[in-house]
Amino acid sequence: MTASPHALLAATFAPGESAVPAARRFTHEVMTAWAIVPLMADAEQVAGELAEQVADEPFEVIWKHFGYAVQVELRQRLAPQADPKGPSVEVEEWGITFTGDSRVHWARLTVPGSVENVAAEWVEESARGPHWLGFLADASDLLAGTLDPDMVPAIIAQIVVPRLSSWCAVYTTDSVVGPLRLAYLWHADEARIDRLREDLTAIGIHEAGTRTAALHFADSQVLAVPLTARGRQLGMMYLGRADRFADEVVQFAEDIGRRAALAMDNARLYAQQAAANRALQRSLLPPNEPEVPGLDYGVVYEPAGEANEVGGDFYDLFAADGTWRFAIGDVCGTGPEAAAVTGLARHTLRLLAREGYGVAAVLGRLNQAILEEGERARFLTLLHGDITPVSDGLEVRLVSAGHPEALRLKPSGVVEAVTTPQSLLGVFPEVVFEADTLHLDHGDVLLAVTDGVTERRSGGRLLDDGGGLAKLLAECVGLSARAVAERIRRAAEDFAPEPSADDLAILVLRAR
């Protein structure tokens, strides 16, 4: 099928016993939203059978609506699998395709009946009983399933067409008094979308109404429904059909409008908070990557979650008092409180280093600064050191304050711990730190990570159990610093099937 779909809904699932029921439930919601009830049983069966054949890793189910047919795609990273099985129910076509590093097992089903028949049958059935309650519940699930503000208008249109109308135009505004802009347009007849867009542009919809109103537009009866949430006007939903809107349809449309507006407002608030968190996170990381004589370095930083929390991990590399300083740390917790301690630590390190304090003295003063924060203080593990280029490599002095031990890899493949464990920061007021001295010959690699790597969990095992991190590092002989950092990151990611719940930072220093 070469035509572009005019509707698409997707969801990602974890492997396991719940995978098949979850794929079937998602399919039920999609078929309900698209008003393809006669196809629901077959669609659920096909999605379930495809899900039964997945390998033991996460997969994505994608439903595409082409008007006259729907297509389900089960997308998964390449993995050894048995010969694929075709659906047990009758489908138009099925097969396997490969895109990049993904394997797609797909099947296509023909949509029975016409749009007009589906809409008429649904309205008649709804008028006879409580069917609309299930429809609204499914609509709410779909709307609540996304926190992407740009996806909400598309979901709105896919819910109401063809069930309530032949076409839907969703307009949104960025402010209370701002102009409306067309965010999404969908017509049950894909060939008429471009013409409809031109007609809507010609009449120029500029203002948002505060009440539902019936309008007449070209050959359509139009229902204008305001999208209002928490007392704020977010846009308008315009529904069009050839005949008059029944009272039941108006009721459904207004209810969906209220739910859609709330979902849109929630998505906008989430997006704003996520953007603020990303900006704060960037401010806590180095602004550039410096050039250090005799040093090849690589860094990886990945906050956990979906950008809704500021991570507590950080790293730094900067010039100070004729040498170079590096640091990698982990603040207890996430969010603004952890970010405050991260900012304090990073700026204190830079300020004291540039004033000539040694690495041990810097940590002593930073410990005192954290304790002076009182109830706002957070525990902090930190590895801090300085680098001095010499003719036969690099001289390094470093202090590990409660941080996972740093490892050195020799070109021969030998790996050894090179730091002495000392107290973490923000606990004891009278602690005295001492620096370890280390020489890195040409080709030696120094690896420092946060506990997002060492404590990555798979069942009852941690990645670093039995010296797991050292074994991974031993396999990195001959690699560049960036390649070592990426190899460790990928190993941590692949250690468990589920996403990590902890932030992750990796710092690799290699003497050239």
Side-chain angles (χ1 to χ4, degrees):
M1 181 177 292
T2 58
S4 299
H6 53 263
L8 184 150
L9 289 171
T12 301
F13 304 94
E17 295 181 358
S18 63
V20 173
R24 292 177 66 96
R25 283 195 301 271
F26 172 67
T27 299
H28 180 91
E29 294 174 359
V30 172
M31 294 300 108
T32 300
W34 286 346
I36 316 178
V37 177
L39 200 60
M40 184 176 294
D42 286 352
E44 289 184 38
Q45 181 72 16
V46 172
E49 290 176 352
L50 265 58
E52 289 175 350
Q53 302 180 51
V54 301
D56 190 21
E57 64 177 85
F59 63 94
E60 185 178 23
V61 175
I62 305 166
W63 276 101
K64 297 179 179 180
H65 197 316
F66 295 91
Y68 57 90
V70 292
Q71 180 166 303
V72 60
E73 299 179 358
L74 194 145
R75 186 182 303 272
Q76 194 174 32
R77 290 172 56 185
L78 294 178
Q81 299 189 24
D83 293 336
K85 300 177 181 178
S88 61
V89 300
E90 183 178 353
V91 297
E92 181 179 323
E93 193 175 358
W94 71 275
I96 300 286
T97 57
F98 297 89
T99 304
D101 64 347
S102 296
R103 175 184 186 272
V104 181
H105 193 175
W106 58 271
R108 188 178 311 142
L109 298 89
T110 303
V111 175
S114 66
V115 170
E116 292 76 11
N117 290 338
V118 170
E121 291 171 2
W122 183 83
V123 171
E124 181 180 354
E125 181 182 354
S126 300
R128 293 197 302 266
H131 179 70
W132 64 278
L133 291 175
F135 165 54
L136 292 177
D138 290 334
S140 296
D141 288 342
L142 287 170
L143 289 167
T146 181
L147 289 173
D148 182 350
D150 296 330
M151 280 295 296
V152 176
I155 294 175
I156 294 172
Q158 294 168 22
I159 288 173
V160 299
V161 178
R163 177 159 284 167
L164 303 183
S165 62
S166 298
W167 59 265
C168 175
V170 180
Y171 287 78
T172 60
T173 178
D174 295 328
S175 62
V176 176
V177 297
L180 292 175
R181 63 177 182 84
L182 181 60
Y184 195 85
L185 178 65
W186 188 26
H187 198 297
D189 183 356
E190 184 181 4
R192 301 178 62 180
I193 292 179
D194 292 339
R195 176 59 185 274
L196 177 60
R197 180 180 288 107
E198 294 174 359
D199 292 342
L200 290 172
T201 301
I203 66 171
I205 297 176
H206 301 291
E207 297 182 358
T210 58
R211 289 188 175 184
T212 300
L215 310 172
H216 182 75
F217 168 67
D219 58 350
S220 299
Q221 301 295 321
V222 177
L223 191 66
V225 181
L227 300 176
T228 304
R230 301 183 175 98
R232 294 187 294 121
Q233 188 80 34
L234 304 180
M236 294 290 294
M237 175 177 67
Y238 290 88
L239 310 180
R241 58 187 294 167
D243 56 346
R244 185 184 68 85
F245 284 89
D247 292 341
E248 294 87 354
V249 174
V250 175
Q251 178 185 355
F252 298 149
E254 290 178 334
D255 206 330
I256 288 174
R258 288 190 291 270
R259 297 166 192 249
L262 186 60
M264 187 181 299
D265 197 42
N266 288 339
R268 288 184 178 184
L269 292 174
Y270 175 87
Q272 292 170 2
Q273 184 63 51
N277 286 339
R278 286 192 295 269
L280 176 57
Q281 192 73 70
R282 286 194 298 268
S283 73
L284 300 175
L285 297 175
N288 51 47
E289 296 186 356
E291 290 289 335
V292 183
L295 176 69
D296 171 29
Y297 69 91
V299 294
V300 169
Y301 173 75
E302 291 185 353
E306 301 178 46
N308 59 332
E309 284 285 357
V310 179
D313 290 10
F314 70 98
Y315 69 90
D316 207 352
L317 181 63
F318 58 95
D321 192 31
T323 64
W324 296 88
R325 295 290 183 99
F326 65 91
I328 181 170
D330 184 1
V331 178
C332 175
T334 59
E337 295 83 2
V341 177
T342 300
L344 172 65
R346 181 168 174 269
H347 293 298
T348 300
L349 285 172
R350 287 193 168 221
L351 177 62
L352 294 177
R354 286 167 179 166
E355 290 184 355
Y357 288 89
V359 292
V362 165
L363 264 64
R365 284 159 176 77
L366 175 58
N367 182 60
Q368 188 62 37
I370 294 174
L371 290 171
E372 290 173 357
E373 289 290 297
E375 294 181 356
R376 296 179 300 175
R378 293 292 184 96
F379 301 149
L380 167 65
T381 73
L382 181 67
L383 179 72
H384 178 47
D386 64 13
I387 305 168
T388 303
V390 293
S391 59
D392 58 345
L394 300 172
E395 292 292 338
V396 180
R397 291 177 299 173
L398 67 168
V399 179
S400 177
H403 202 76
E405 61 185 10
L407 302 176
R408 175 175 60 185
L409 169 66
K410 304 291 290 183
S412 62
V414 174
V415 176
E416 58 182 339
V418 293
T419 50
T420 302
Q422 300 181 57
S423 173
L424 55 84
L425 303 176
V427 180
F428 304 110
E430 303 299 331
V431 65
V432 176
F433 296 97
E434 296 182 1
D436 295 307
T437 301
L438 172 68
H439 180 78
L440 295 180
D441 293 320
H442 297 298
D444 285 0
V445 172
L446 180 67
L447 170 66
V449 302
T450 58
D451 60 10
V453 175
T454 57
E455 297 181 6
R456 177 78 159 118
R457 181 176 295 276
S458 177
R461 294 177 56 246
L462 301 180
L463 183 146
D464 200 31
D465 285 348
L469 182 60
K471 294 175 182 177
L472 289 173
L473 182 59
E475 300 172 355
C476 297
V477 172
L479 298 181
S480 68
R482 292 182 183 275
V484 173
E486 177 58 27
R487 177 75 67 88
I488 301 300
R489 183 204 68 79
R490 178 59 65 87
E493 177 185 336
D494 294 342
F495 186 71
E498 64 276 358
S500 175
D502 198 2
D503 308 319
L504 176 151
I506 301 170
L507 175 65
V508 179
L509 308 177
R510 180 177 178 272
R512 293 181 176 178

